[in-house]
Amino acid sequence: MVTSSAPGKVYLFGEHAVVYGEPAVPCAIERRVHVTATEIDEGLRIHANDLQLDGFTVEYTGDGESHPDVDVAESLVEAGMGYVNEAVAQARDAADAPEAGFEISVEGDIPLGAGLGSSAALVVAAIDAATRELGVELPASEIADRAYQVEHEVQDGQASRADTFCSAMGGAVRVEGNDCRRLDGIDTLPFVIGYDGGAGDTGALVAGVRTLRDEYDFAADTVAAIGDIVREGEAVLETGDYERLGELMDFNHGLLSALGVSSRSLDSMVWAARDADAHGAKLTGAGGGGCIVALDETDDALTALKYTPGCEDVFRAELDTDGVRQE
Amino acid sequence: MVTSSAPGKVYLFGEHAVVYGEPAVPCAIERRVHVTATEIDEGLRIHANDLQLDGFTVEYTGDGESHPDVDVAESLVEAGMGYVNEAVAQARDAADAPEAGFEISVEGDIPLGAGLGSSAALVVAAIDAATRELGVELPASEIADRAYQVEHEVQDGQASRADTFCSAMGGAVRVEGNDCRRLDGIDTLPFVIGYDGGAGDTGALVAGVRTLRDEYDFAADTVAAIGDIVREGEAVLETGDYERLGELMDFNHGLLSALGVSSRSLDSMVWAARDADAHGAKLTGAGGGGCIVALDETDDALTALKYTPGCEDVFRAELDTDGVRQE
């Protein structure tokens, strides 16, 4: 029995623009998914006890049918099952053990579907735990690559390398197309995350940006300006100047708003954090609902968000310099 | 005794960027300042009965001293006095009657200092009323020019031609540097205006944009993108396609947010209007507080704004195709 964990992430800069070849900077956060893998005779049993939803157990049997014992939205269960299923397939492939059976238990404290990279963390931790259980230790970069293959498969080719790479490697990373690398020397970033309890429709949001960008030159320029913010932000990151980082986050949020991917609750949370003197705040992820990330080393933004209508959950989540790891 | 009136305005597109030579499209609205001018023997008596503040009366006497009989913020009184004083000076100059005395009464239903062009409307209406009282009828274009001189004088050289030109000419106008012209064929635009009861510090907001623009290329690109929205918007205006106009207003608002000139209450009002299915909504004017303008021919945005916390006043104000006029 092996337990591995992997972190979720926020986008410090660059979501949406990254789709068009601009760089982005996702950062791993101190919120993790834990996956325990135990080799069994055959098949696959999945227990998800605390993915911020009611627990469920799924058993894959020899007849190829799955028998979920569930009390939650089927789409969420199927998504979770799909990720674990493909992650285990990657582990079997990596360990050259095609017939290996597994019992997989999942626990996590990352809100699901909130744009915090819960599925990438699940896949990364599952691949690591299952391969270790089979006696194989993969380098983080290979786990990142295999996890990307899983997301690519499960998400019908719509995956980005950003989430899986960030979760596997930890820290602040830079993603530009297929080129992913860790940004060295970034040890601490005081993130506060506000969550409105909802989630946007990622596909529709990405499509909306594409339509604007195709139709209007100024929208294409806005996407390019986000890329420039990322390049500026990389340089500022090295200096540890939170004031300027926050200024760039604020600007990035405005450009995302212009591209139509913010929402009433996201803007409300962003303003709550700014009015509480956070260095800066922006939505993180696809938008349309979900999470904002603020930069604040005090408790003020956290407290302000706690009392902001529409903010369902708020927590501090420092930059996590650890990626995937055995527990 | 002559009474003239002139309309306030909203920016459909382009505030802030207009400072850097980009075009802007202010639109006159059906909210007016009325000025009544009566020739008297000498000096200047000013009555302001309903400029959305308590009435005050100011008397200029031969000794060059003013004696305000007031119960309101001195800065507002002095500002109002300064505008009327200079407007009357323009009228005396235009009518070649340097010694003419006036009693001037001012009434208006435009919130003061809210970015709706109340001072420009006051100056335009005052010049028209005072010159007519002296038997001279100036063309609107000359009133616009003289009113600009007044704002330039009173505002220490910080005036834009946009407000005074728009108020004098009425309708939707296009301003680019010193080139101002009316956009023909635009007869109706269903504006709804929400007002948070406050006002930003125009000087600080303009300076903030300048600092960002000087420091970051992406901020300069954002200013340029606003100019592109204005050019696109001009073309869309001719088609009467409110859906696309609204889309451009939304985008314009996002870029203004990126430039740091929105506020919590402005964003809150913008979202209230959008969630009520307005075609689009944006802040209007310098920002930081003040007003938003939404495009909505139904009563939904109006009603939604009425019940939005932080919205102190909301009213419908159609495009006003009339500029300055004698009542």
Side-chain angles (χ1 to χ4, degrees):
Chain A
M1 183 170 84
V2 174
T3 299
S4 295
S5 73
K9 64 97 192 45
V10 292
Y11 272 93
L12 183 59
F13 303 115
E15 54 270 88
H16 281 289
V18 73
V19 173
Y20 303 98
E22 300 292 347
V25 177
C27 295
I29 55 172
E30 287 181 339
R31 285 256 162 161
R32 291 186 161 255
V33 172
H34 288 71
V35 175
T36 300
T38 308
E39 193 174 0
I40 58 176
D41 283 348
E42 61 172 10
L44 178 59
R45 288 181 52 86
I46 306 174
H47 312 270
N49 296 314
D50 186 22
L51 272 171
Q52 300 224 344
L53 46 78
D54 293 333
F56 64 88
T57 300
V58 182
E59 182 164 4
Y60 284 85
T61 56
D63 60 7
E65 300 286 314
S66 65
H67 302 280
D69 159 28
V70 294
D71 192 22
V72 293
E74 201 168 335
S75 60
L76 270 178
V77 175
E78 287 195 357
M81 280 162 45
Y83 288 118
V84 175
N85 208 20
E86 294 295 325
V88 165
Q90 287 289 336
R92 288 177 179 137
D93 179 66
D96 200 16
E99 304 295 330
F102 282 101
E103 182 160 344
I104 299 285
S105 291
V106 181
E107 288 186 39
D109 56 4
I110 306 173
L112 283 184
L116 297 180
S118 56
S119 67
L122 166 60
V123 172
V124 166
I127 293 175
D128 191 62
T131 49
R132 285 178 189 274
E133 175 72 358
L134 295 174
V136 174
E137 190 174 333
L138 300 178
S141 59
E142 185 177 340
I143 294 176
D145 192 58
R146 288 183 177 274
Y148 167 69
Q149 305 301 333
V150 169
E151 287 218 321
H152 192 271
E153 177 77 19
V154 176
Q155 297 169 12
D156 291 329
Q158 295 301 305
S160 145
R161 286 183 181 273
D163 287 18
T164 41
F165 184 83
C166 185
S167 185
M169 309 304 286
V173 308
R174 182 191 202 276
V175 178
E176 187 170 2
N178 286 329
D179 175 38
C180 303
R181 59 186 174 79
R182 224 185 122 146
L183 296 174
D184 293 328
I186 319 296
D187 296 328
T188 175
L189 283 170
F191 294 131
V192 174
I193 294 170
Y195 176 39
D196 70 4
D201 176 339
T202 301
L205 290 157
V206 169
V209 172
R210 184 174 299 278
T211 301
L212 283 170
R213 185 172 172 277
D214 286 348
E215 184 157 8
Y216 299 119
D217 285 347
F218 57 77
D221 293 343
T222 299
V223 169
I226 291 176
D228 290 337
I229 289 175
V230 179
R231 283 178 281 269
E232 182 78 26
E234 278 181 80
V236 175
L237 254 180
E238 290 179 13
T239 70
D241 183 341
Y242 292 160
E243 205 54 49
R244 283 192 67 207
L245 272 184
E247 183 175 77
L248 296 175
M249 291 169 72
D250 287 346
F251 207 109
N252 194 161
H253 179 76
L255 296 185
L256 288 167
S257 299
L259 290 168
V261 302
S262 191
S263 75
R264 192 175 196 166
S265 55
L266 293 174
D267 276 6
S268 173
M269 292 191 290
V270 159
W271 278 112
R274 289 177 186 164
D275 286 355
D277 287 332
H279 299 294
K282 61 182 280 295
L283 69 85
T284 174
C291 290
I292 65 121
V293 56
L295 201 63
D296 183 23
E297 62 272 60
T298 78
D299 284 335
D300 288 0
L302 187 82
T303 305
L305 281 163
K306 195 181 290 180
Y307 297 107
T308 298
C311 180
E312 293 290 316
D313 193 13
V314 57
F315 50 89
R316 178 170 291 289
E318 265 283 340
L319 178 74
D320 196 334
T321 54
D322 265 12
V324 63
R325 69 183 179 216
Q326 184 174 357
E327 294 293 327
Chain B
M1 184 171 84
V2 175
T3 299
S4 295
S5 74
K9 65 96 192 46
V10 291
Y11 271 93
L12 183 59
F13 302 116
E15 55 270 88
H16 281 288
V18 73
V19 172
Y20 304 98
E22 300 291 348
V25 176
C27 294
I29 55 172
E30 288 181 339
R31 285 255 162 161
R32 292 186 161 254
V33 172
H34 288 72
V35 175
T36 300
T38 307
E39 195 175 358
I40 57 177
D41 281 350
E42 62 172 11
L44 178 59
R45 288 180 52 88
I46 305 172
H47 312 270
N49 296 312
D50 185 23
L51 272 172
Q52 301 225 343
L53 46 79
D54 294 334
F56 65 88
T57 299
V58 182
E59 182 164 3
Y60 285 87
T61 56
D63 61 7
E65 300 286 315
S66 64
H67 302 281
D69 158 29
V70 294
D71 191 23
V72 293
E74 201 167 336
S75 60
L76 269 178
V77 175
E78 287 195 356
M81 280 162 46
Y83 288 118
V84 174
N85 209 19
E86 293 296 324
V88 164
Q90 287 289 337
R92 287 176 181 137
D93 179 67
D96 200 15
E99 304 296 331
F102 282 101
E103 182 161 344
I104 300 284
S105 291
V106 181
E107 289 186 38
D109 56 3
I110 306 173
L112 282 184
L116 297 180
S118 55
S119 67
L122 166 60
V123 172
V124 165
I127 294 175
D128 191 63
T131 48
R132 285 178 189 273
E133 175 72 358
L134 295 174
V136 174
E137 190 174 335
L138 300 177
S141 59
E142 185 177 342
I143 294 176
D145 192 57
R146 288 183 177 274
Y148 166 69
Q149 305 300 334
V150 169
E151 288 219 319
H152 192 270
E153 177 77 20
V154 176
Q155 298 170 12
D156 290 330
Q158 295 302 305
S160 144
R161 287 184 181 272
D163 287 19
T164 41
F165 184 83
C166 186
S167 185
M169 309 303 286
V173 308
R174 182 191 202 278
V175 178
E176 186 170 1
N178 286 329
D179 175 38
C180 303
R181 58 186 175 79
R182 223 182 123 147
L183 295 173
D184 293 327
I186 319 296
D187 296 327
T188 175
L189 284 169
F191 293 131
V192 174
I193 294 170
Y195 176 39
D196 70 5
D201 177 339
T202 301
L205 291 157
V206 170
V209 172
R210 184 175 298 279
T211 300
L212 283 170
R213 186 172 172 277
D214 286 349
E215 183 156 9
Y216 299 120
D217 284 347
F218 58 76
D221 292 343
T222 299
V223 169
I226 291 177
D228 289 337
I229 290 175
V230 179
R231 283 178 279 269
E232 182 78 27
E234 278 179 80
V236 175
L237 256 181
E238 290 179 13
T239 70
D241 183 341
Y242 292 160
E243 205 53 49
R244 283 192 67 207
L245 273 184
E247 183 174 76
L248 296 175
M249 290 169 73
D250 287 346
F251 207 109
N252 195 161
H253 179 77
L255 297 184
L256 289 166
S257 299
L259 291 169
V261 301
S262 191
S263 75
R264 194 175 195 166
S265 55
L266 292 175
D267 276 5
S268 172
M269 291 191 290
V270 159
W271 278 111
R274 290 177 186 163
D275 285 355
D277 287 332
H279 298 295
K282 61 183 279 295
L283 70 84
T284 174
C291 291
I292 65 121
V293 55
L295 201 63
D296 183 22
E297 63 272 61
T298 78
D299 285 334
D300 289 359
L302 187 82
T303 305
L305 282 162
K306 195 180 292 178
Y307 297 107
T308 297
C311 181
E312 293 290 316
D313 193 13
V314 55
F315 50 89
R316 179 170 289 291
E318 264 284 338
L319 177 74
D320 196 335
T321 54
D322 266 12
V324 61
R325 70 184 179 215
Q326 184 174 358
E327 294 292 327

